[in-house]
C-alpha cells in the first residue's frame, strides 16, 4: 500500500514537472494533474493540499539534484576563476535539460510566501557553493558577491528561457564575462 502511494506521488510529481515545463505555473492545476495521472481530482488532494505544496515538494526533490550537478562540475575546476565560470555555465546548461525545466519554471514564477521561502533556501545552498571561490579571489564580501552573481545567472536563465534573439551560447558567454569581470577583487 505504501509503495502504491509512493508510485502515485511520483506520478503526480512527474505530471507536475511536465505541466510546469509546458506552461509554467499557470498550467499546474489540480484538474490537469488529475487528467495527466488518471487519478480522481479528490485523490490529488490526498497528496497535496495546494499548488504551492506541489511546488514545495518539487523544490525539495529537484533543487538538490540541480545543486549536486553544479557542485560536481565545480569540483573539477582547478582555479577560483574556473569555479566561477563553471558555476555560471553549468546552471545555464541545465536550463536545456528536460529534467530541470520544472526548476526553471518554479524559479520564474509568482508563488506564495511559503513556496518562495523554500526556493530561497534551495538557492541559498547553490549560492553557498560559490562563496568560497569568491573569497579565494580576494572579494571582501564574498556572500554579497555570491548573491549578486546568482542574480546574473538567474537573469541569463530567464533570457535563455524566453528564447531571446541571442544564441544561448552567447548569453552564457556574456554572463560568464560579467561574472568574472564583476567578481575580480578591486585593490
Amino acid at each position: 500500500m505504501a509503495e502504491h502511494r509512493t508510485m502515485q506521488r511520483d506520478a503526480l510529481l512527474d505530471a507536475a514537472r511536465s505541466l510546469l515545463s509546458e506552461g509554467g505555473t499557470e498550467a499546474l492545476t489540480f484538474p490537469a494533474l488529475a487528467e495527466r495521472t488518471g487519478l480522481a481530482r479528490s485523490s490529488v488532494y490526498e497528496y497535496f493540499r495546494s499548488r504551492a505544496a506541489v511546488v514545495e515538494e518539487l523544490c525539495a526533490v529537484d533543487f538538490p539534484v540541480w545543486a549536486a550537478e553544479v557542485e560536481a562540475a565545480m569540483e573539477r575546476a582547478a582555479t577560483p576563476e574556473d569555479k566561477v565560470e563553471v558555476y555560471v555555465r553549468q546552471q545555464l546548461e541545465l536550463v536545456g535539460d528536460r529534467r530541470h525545466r520544472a526548476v526553471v519554471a518554479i524559479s520564474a514564477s509568482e508563488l506564495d510566501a511559503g513556496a518562495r521561502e523554500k526556493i530561497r533556501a534551495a538557492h541559498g545552498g547553490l549560492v553557498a557553493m560559490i562563496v568560497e571561490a569568491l573569497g579565494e579571489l580576494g572579494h571582501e564580501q564574498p556572500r554579497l558577491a555570491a548573491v549578486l552573481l546568482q542574480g546574473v545567472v538567474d537573469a541569463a536563465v530567464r533570457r535563455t528561457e524566453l528564447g531571446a534573439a541571442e544564441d544561448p551560447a552567447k548569453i552564457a558567454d556574456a554572463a560568464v564575462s560579467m561574472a568574472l569581470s564583476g567578481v575580480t577583487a578591486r585593490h
Side-chain angles (χ1 to χ4, degrees):
M1 183 64 191
E3 191 176 315
H4 179 67
R5 285 191 61 81
T6 302
M7 281 172 58
Q8 286 190 332
R9 187 178 199 84
D10 289 348
L12 284 166
L13 289 175
D14 266 344
R17 285 183 192 98
S18 296
L19 291 164
L20 283 163
S21 298
E22 292 159 20
T25 44
E26 301 78 49
L28 181 60
T29 64
F30 278 30
L33 283 171
E35 188 183 325
R36 285 281 167 107
T37 55
L39 294 170
R41 201 181 312 180
S42 58
S43 296
V44 178
Y45 282 100
E46 287 176 32
Y47 292 92
F48 301 105
R49 67 190 181 289
S50 65
R51 279 179 356 146
V54 177
V55 167
E56 287 177 27
E57 180 78 12
L58 279 174
C59 284
V61 174
D62 291 0
F63 265 103
V65 176
W66 171 289
E69 291 192 27
V70 173
E71 190 169 25
M74 284 176 67
E75 281 171 5
R76 294 189 292 271
T79 66
E81 288 87 352
D82 290 345
K83 283 187 191 318
V84 170
E85 178 165 356
V86 166
Y87 180 81
V88 173
R89 287 194 189 279
Q90 186 66 29
Q91 287 188 69
L92 289 169
E93 215 169 277
L94 291 173
V95 172
D97 185 329
R98 160 80 185 75
R99 290 169 307 148
H100 296 298
R101 295 191 67 77
V103 170
V104 174
I106 289 167
S107 298
S109 59
E110 294 302 312
L111 296 162
D112 68 32
R116 272 201 313 275
E117 196 42 56
K118 287 263 192 330
I119 290 169
R120 246 195 307 281
H123 268 289
L126 209 51
V127 166
M129 285 182 211
I130 199 66
V131 172
E132 187 181 341
L134 294 173
E136 286 173 27
L137 284 172
H139 209 285
E140 286 174 20
Q141 292 183 285
R143 177 151 287 287
L144 173 60
V147 170
L148 296 175
L149 172 58
Q150 187 59 43
V152 169
V153 174
D154 292 343
V157 164
R158 278 193 301 279
R159 188 91 186 153
T160 304
E161 269 296 286
L162 286 170
E166 304 91 359
D167 179 325
K170 292 245 186 306
I171 295 171
D173 289 346
V176 167
S177 170
M178 183 169 281
L180 289 173
S181 59
V183 297
T184 306
R186 304 275 183 259
H187 296 293

